[in-house]
């Protein structure tokens, strides 16, 4: 996979677009095909202690997207193709005080999320193409129902903004650099997932390369263990992943271990989550703990109401001895008849380095998701 080039990635984009749009008329008549997608726009207002910026943006927690699933029986299993692309709208994590209003539409090849082929059955599932690595989503065990406005990737709303030194306003590290969940991602990869065994367990492994970033030849390996089960009126979800990056062209090697666990009481809607991660990146041992508490109930005829609060503690994220803490409040209202959700959220980020004090960064977000 090391020899994949810009031309290879451009070819992958072209093949996906031809498969989607060139065959759209036929697929519309094909019972094996399913189109899906959503718009997920929000208004954010971020205050870094010196300035405030308010913009209409795409929600980087889950960017607006369009996709296609197509499947057909093959041998003892099913062959599937999944094409998915973000719309390339201005993302909430791309804003900063020095980039307050980037172009609203800026589609790039990195907007392409999946050009993915798979074959699965009782033997498990094999994947090849651009798509999720096995450890993608290891921090994502979450039954709060507020995941479209808040996840353990807490920097998705205000990640581009910098912490500013108290008094002088000098720029420090970005919110995104301080608060990272070390989760797996989407790459050009080969992947295998096992069938479920032992009352809810499954394992996966993958190897991949970032084919959409020119000059990045790093080889990524990961392993994943998942557990999911309902028992005694409770729903449980547990995930654990290990990630290894073999750095090339002068890039450093790094290693990470991440995991998460969530539990939902089915009759009351009370839920809780804990996630944690450790990463060794060029000798800097970074770690964090993330927790979320929530409740989801049918209080209105519109649909389910979901409320949550979350907290993130991180250490040694940018340099040894630093500390980051963020807390947030989230509310989501489902509108069933409109295939929509409305959200309101607030998050405050704090950061300190030895001998340096920074202003807090606060961020509001209001918006919603409409899907089909």
């Amino acid at each position: 996979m090391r020899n994949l080039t810009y031309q290879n990635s451009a070819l992958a984009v072209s093949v996906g677009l031809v498969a989607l749009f060139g065959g759209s008329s036929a697929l519309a008549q094909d019972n094996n095909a399913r189109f899906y997608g959503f718009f997920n726009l929000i208004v954010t207002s971020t205050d870094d202690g010196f300035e405030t910026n308010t913009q209409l943006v795409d929600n980087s927690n889950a960017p607006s997207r369009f996709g296609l699933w197509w499947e057909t029986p093959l041998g003892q299993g099913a062959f599937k193709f999944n094409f998915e692309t973000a719309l390339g709208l201005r993302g909430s994590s791309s804003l900063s005080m020095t980039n307050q209003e980037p172009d609203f539409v800026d589609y790039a090849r990195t907007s392409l999320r999946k050009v993915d082929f798979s074959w699965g059955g009782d033997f498990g599932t094999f994947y090849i193409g651009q798509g999720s690595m096995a450890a993608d989503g290891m921090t994502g065990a979450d039954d709060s129902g507020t995941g479209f406005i808040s996840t353990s990737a807490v920097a998705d709303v205000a990640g581009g903004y910098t912490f500013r030194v108290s008094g002088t306003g000098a720029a420090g590290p970005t919110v995104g650099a301080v608060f990272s969940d070390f989760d797996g991602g989407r790459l050009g990869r080969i992947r295998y997932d096992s069938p479920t065994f032992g009352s809810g367990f499954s394992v996966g492994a993958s190897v991949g390369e970032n084919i959409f970033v020119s000059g990045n030849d790093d080889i990524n390996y990961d392993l994943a263990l998942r557990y999911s089960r309902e028992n005694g009126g409770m729903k449980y979800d547990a995930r654990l992943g290990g990630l290894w990056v073999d750095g090339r062209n002068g890039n450093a090697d790094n290693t990470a271990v991440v995991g998460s666990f969530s539990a939902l009481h089915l009759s009351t809607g009370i839920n809780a989550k804990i996630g944690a991660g450790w990463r060794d990146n060029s000798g800097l041992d970074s770690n964090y703990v993330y927790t979320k508490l929530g409740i989801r109930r049918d209080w209105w005829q519109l649909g389910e109401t979901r409320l949550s609060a979350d907290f993130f503690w991180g250490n040694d994220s940018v340099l040894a001895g630093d500390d980051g803490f963020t807390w947030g409040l989230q509310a989501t209202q489902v509108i069933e008849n409109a295939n929509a959700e409305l959200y309101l959220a607030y998050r405050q980020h704090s950061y300190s380095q030895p001998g340096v004090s920074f202003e807090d960064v606060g961020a509001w977000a209001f918006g919603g998701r409409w899907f089909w």
Side-chain angles (χ1 to χ4, degrees):
M1 301 186 72
R2 185 181 177 185
N3 295 323
L4 289 170
T5 62
Y6 177 91
Q7 287 80 9
N8 295 109
S9 60
L11 177 60
V13 174
S14 300
V15 169
L17 292 174
V18 168
L20 178 63
F21 297 110
S24 60
S25 297
L27 287 170
Q29 317 265 333
D30 189 342
N31 292 331
N32 295 337
R34 176 176 63 87
F35 293 95
Y36 66 92
F38 56 78
F39 290 101
N40 197 15
L41 300 180
I42 58 174
V43 174
T44 64
S45 184
T46 303
D47 181 357
D48 66 1
F50 290 85
E51 299 178 72
T52 299
N53 183 32
T54 302
Q55 295 291 341
L56 172 67
V57 291
D58 204 19
N59 183 352
S60 294
N61 282 288
S64 300
R65 66 194 62 174
F66 180 80
L68 161 73
W69 273 105
W70 180 85
E71 66 177 280
T72 189
L74 178 64
Q76 299 301 309
F79 176 79
K80 299 181 181 181
F81 170 68
N82 184 200
F83 175 91
E84 182 178 291
T85 180
L87 302 185
L89 306 180
R90 176 171 63 211
S92 54
S93 63
S94 69
L95 299 178
S96 69
M97 290 305 179
T98 57
N99 189 32
Q100 293 193 9
E101 195 172 354
D103 292 341
F104 192 76
V105 178
D106 185 17
Y107 190 89
R109 49 193 177 124
T110 52
S111 300
L112 187 62
R113 297 170 59 87
K114 297 178 182 179
V115 182
D116 195 15
F117 302 88
S118 64
W119 181 49
D122 293 340
F123 48 82
T125 305
F126 295 91
Y127 302 84
I128 186 169
Q130 168 72 12
S132 291
M133 295 284 283
D136 186 15
M138 290 298 99
T139 65
D142 187 344
D143 287 304
S144 67
T146 60
F148 280 93
I149 193 59
S150 175
T151 70
S152 56
V154 294
D156 279 344
V157 169
Y161 291 90
T162 59
F163 288 98
R164 299 176 71 172
V165 177
S166 298
T168 69
T174 65
V175 170
V178 172
F179 300 104
S180 173
D181 64 356
F182 316 152
D183 203 5
R186 291 179 306 277
L187 301 173
R189 89 291 190 233
I190 299 171
R191 169 178 167 178
Y192 171 74
D193 288 351
S194 77
T196 301
F197 61 90
S199 301
F201 289 95
S202 65
V203 296
S206 59
V207 55
E209 182 179 332
N210 193 338
I211 62 176
F212 290 150
V213 176
S214 181
N216 187 336
D217 296 326
D218 295 353
I219 305 299
N220 297 257
Y221 307 89
D222 62 17
L223 296 172
L225 171 66
R226 297 173 181 264
Y227 174 78
S228 181
R229 189 179 182 187
E230 291 187 16
N231 185 44
M234 296 290 295
K235 179 183 178 184
Y236 303 102
D237 186 358
R239 309 176 187 183
L240 180 65
L243 304 89
W244 300 266
V245 179
D246 180 6
R248 306 295 176 91
N249 300 333
N251 292 336
D253 299 344
N254 67 73
T255 303
V257 178
V258 293
S260 56
F261 172 79
S262 68
L264 168 66
H265 190 254
L266 295 171
S267 61
T268 65
I270 295 173
N271 56 83
K273 167 188 178 163
I274 184 167
W278 166 86
R279 180 175 66 185
D280 177 6
N281 188 6
S282 300
L284 182 64
D285 289 338
S286 306
N287 61 85
Y288 74 89
V289 174
Y290 172 84
T291 63
K292 180 187 272 191
L293 300 173
I295 185 170
R296 48 194 302 174
R297 298 292 291 273
D298 288 315
W299 284 315
W300 314 96
Q301 292 183 349
L302 286 173
E304 191 174 62
T305 303
R306 304 160 180 173
L307 306 174
S308 63
D310 63 357
F311 310 87
F312 185 116
W313 297 264
N315 298 288
D316 304 331
S317 55
V318 178
L319 52 81
D322 69 4
D323 293 290
F325 172 69
T326 179
W327 61 269
L329 300 173
Q330 305 87 34
T332 294
Q333 178 61 55
V334 176
I335 306 176
E336 292 181 353
N337 291 338
N339 290 333
E341 299 171 350
L342 295 177
Y343 343 107
L344 176 64
Y346 176 76
R347 180 168 300 285
Q348 183 157 314
H349 315 77
S350 301
Y351 178 64
S352 65
Q353 293 178 353
V356 183
S357 175
F358 294 90
E359 295 293 322
D360 291 348
V361 176
W364 286 94
F366 171 75
R369 180 176 74 116
W370 175 74
F371 55 94
W372 65 90

